[in-house]
Amino acid sequence: MADGNGKPKAQMLDELEKGPWPSFVKEIKKAAETSPVCHDLMGQLEVSYEEKRSHWKHGGIVGVLGYGGGVIGRYSDLPDQFPNVAHFHTLRVNHPSGWFYTSDALRTLCDIWERHGSGLTNMHGSTGDIVFLGTKTDELEPTFKELTEAGFDLGGSGSVMRTPSCCVGQARCEWACYDTMAACDDITRTYQDELHRPAFPYKFKFKFSGCPNDCVAAIARADLSIIGTWRDDIQQDDAAVAEYAASGLNIQKDVCNRCPTHCMEWDGKKLTIENKECVRCMHCINVMPKALRPGKEKGAAILIGAKAPILQGALLSSVLIPFVPAEELLDTLKELVSRIWDFWGEYGKNRERIGELIQRVGMANFLDGIGLDPVPEMVGSPRDNPYIYFQGKDGDQGT
């Protein structure tokens, strides 16, 4: 579909350029000036919007030699009309921990992709990978060869361990309670087979957040979330608290009243924190960063079972281990992962995430299966009924 000047008709796509937000259509149009692939991509997208159905079909098994993951196969069902997108495979490229790049590395990636694909990238996919959008089957191996020569590897796709991701951690963030980048890199290197060769019931995601602010949204998206926290008291600078009050901050309203457990009191001069009631939400620290800091005894909590809604509804992570000291984190994590994967591999159904398995068999059976004792922190919310019922000796029910 083209106008008299050979440009693709894009009346419906044009609507997506309107408004105050950045537009993917604008970027594709820019790329279409030099890329026949992007020209045909716009044409097929316009047809899809007009007909209200997708014209992509899943490519099935397609990849590079020796890898079962990293390439998402995709074909057009209008190959005669749009021959340049007859094949439109996507490659996931494993990103560096914390998404730190040099300019040279980015130029290298872009040069490789312009030689072998559409030139379109997604920086980054929701998993964290660098995403190369759109290439032909014949270009997969040459692209992979150049990527590996430049020091990059493919990420995960399919029923594998997906590419682990992390926040910048201690490289840039003063709140990080452990080295997220080191942990992410270690797990990525340790589980290379699980990353590239599908052997699981379904996908499994690791995400590493350095503090409870959870900047990589691990608690909402990761099968195993490793979220930094501390075990001792919040570090408090009373003089700095007074400075915040003097500068106009309403400590009672904006800090104490918004504490989820109401563990803070402000008498107009002194801030008192009942640390045993603190749930480490970071709100007070975020509001008064010069006065409050995470405690000195740092580590991480390990949570399990988050996912987006696909077959079933969305799940948030549940606490598995409430605190692991930073120096013990990797050893604990690897031992735990081996137990989880053994249980999941034996009892998981096809396309069943670990959180869905726990929902089906129950947390008690899951904990028993992986040899972990239950702890109070695993309770999402207390019982509404405060009474405990038991059977008396005479058979009567007592309280």
Side-chain angles (χ1 to χ4, degrees), residues 128-369:
D129 294 289
I130 307 157
V131 177
F132 285 176
L133 292 161
T135 192
K136 299 177 181 178
T137 304
D138 292 344
E139 293 290 349
L140 293 174
E141 286 290 351
T143 307
F144 179 56
K145 181 176 182 295
E146 287 202 39
L147 284 170
T148 55
E149 288 174 350
F152 289 90
D153 196 2
L154 295 189
S157 70
S159 297
V160 299
M161 180 189 88
R162 297 298 180 85
T163 315
S165 64
C166 65
C167 67
V168 296
Q170 294 174 339
R172 292 293 299 272
C173 180
E174 60 185 317
W175 306 138
C177 295
Y178 71 100
D179 191 339
T180 58
M181 293 175 62
C184 183
D185 183 73
D186 190 292
I187 291 298
T188 302
R189 294 176 188 275
T190 299
Y191 298 116
Q192 284 292 292
D193 275 355
E194 289 79 5
L195 178 61
H196 293 305
R197 298 171 182 88
F200 293 157
Y202 200 23
K203 67 182 85 168
F204 193 93
K205 297 180 180 180
F206 287 91
K207 291 189 185 297
F208 299 85
S209 286
C211 78
N213 280 325
D214 193 14
C215 291
V216 292
I219 199 169
R221 301 192 301 174
D223 296 274
L224 206 66
S225 309
I226 300 89
I227 300 178
T229 187
W230 62 95
R231 188 156 54 180
D232 54 344
D233 294 349
I234 294 174
Q235 299 181 67
Q236 182 175 339
D237 184 335
D238 289 333
V241 173
E243 287 181 20
Y244 277 108
S247 67
L249 177 67
N250 188 328
I251 294 178
Q252 183 62 46
K253 176 184 175 183
D254 296 328
V255 180
C256 297
N257 291 356
R258 292 181 178 176
C259 172
T261 59
H262 301 288
C263 71
M264 313 182 82
E265 291 185 2
W266 170 249
D267 62 6
K269 295 181 180 179
K270 169 72 175 174
L271 179 70
T272 304
I273 304 174
E274 189 66 43
N275 276 276
K276 67 180 182 179
E277 300 295 333
C278 174
V279 291
R280 317 296 195 262
C281 75
M282 292 286 290
H283 171 71
C284 60
I285 295 173
N286 292 333
V287 175
M288 301 192 295
K290 294 180 180 179
L292 304 175
R293 301 183 61 84
K296 296 180 179 179
E297 194 176 350
K298 296 176 181 178
I302 300 176
L303 298 88
I304 193 165
K307 60 176 278 294
I310 302 178
L311 298 180
Q312 298 184 26
L315 294 173
L316 293 179
S317 295
S318 302
V319 173
L320 200 56
I321 301 179
F323 185 81
V324 181
E327 61 274 12
E328 300 174 14
L329 182 58
L330 276 173
D331 289 339
T332 301
L333 188 58
K334 290 174 186 177
E335 182 182 356
L336 182 65
V337 164
S338 66
R339 298 186 200 176
I340 292 170
W341 284 350
D342 285 346
F343 186 86
W344 186 38
E346 184 170 356
Y347 297 106
K349 296 180 180 180
N350 186 40
R351 295 181 66 82
E352 183 177 53
R353 298 283 286 272
I354 188 68
E356 294 168 324
L357 170 63
I358 294 171
Q359 239 184 358
R360 177 166 60 84
V361 304
M363 180 61 87
N365 289 325
F366 173 73
L367 293 175
D368 185 60

